[in-house]
Amino acid sequence: DGMNIKYVFIPSGKDPDECIKNNPADWERAVMEAKAMMQYYFDKTLGALDVEELDGKREAAKKLLPIITKLGSPIDQDFWLKRLSEKINIKEEVLQEW
């Protein structure tokens, strides 16, 4: 079993402590909207690339495949590989061979 790490975007303040002290409601909302760490990687990577273009597809695969292969669970790996395949419109089989 792997760890289920989530990413929390701090909406105000420089750190969680400051956010909680200044606006507890912001912190509660941020925690409720926490994303899986892999989702954060996907959002950050795919948001910076044009995955309609071949170069963007290559760059997305180059950045995300090494992270996916390091996931401890085969189920997690399969899930995120399928997600990458859908997002960049490249067959899973091709990504697995790369």
Side-chain angles (χ1 to χ4, degrees), residues 27-80:
W27 177 251
E28 287 180 31
R29 185 171 37 262
V31 170
M32 290 177 67
E33 294 172 355
K35 294 181 179 181
M37 198 64 181
M38 277 304 299
Q39 186 62 54
Y40 168 76
Y41 289 138
F42 266 67
D43 292 348
K44 187 170 174 76
T45 301
L46 299 176
L49 299 170
D50 180 0
V51 294
E52 296 300 316
E53 297 294 326
L54 183 57
D55 287 343
K57 294 175 188 295
R58 280 191 194 117
E59 191 63 24
K62 179 181 170 184
K63 289 183 176 190
L64 293 171
L65 280 173
I67 299 169
I68 292 170
T69 59
K70 290 180 183 172
L71 295 172
S73 164
I75 292 172
D76 291 351
Q77 289 177 4
D78 184 62
F79 175 86
W80 290 108

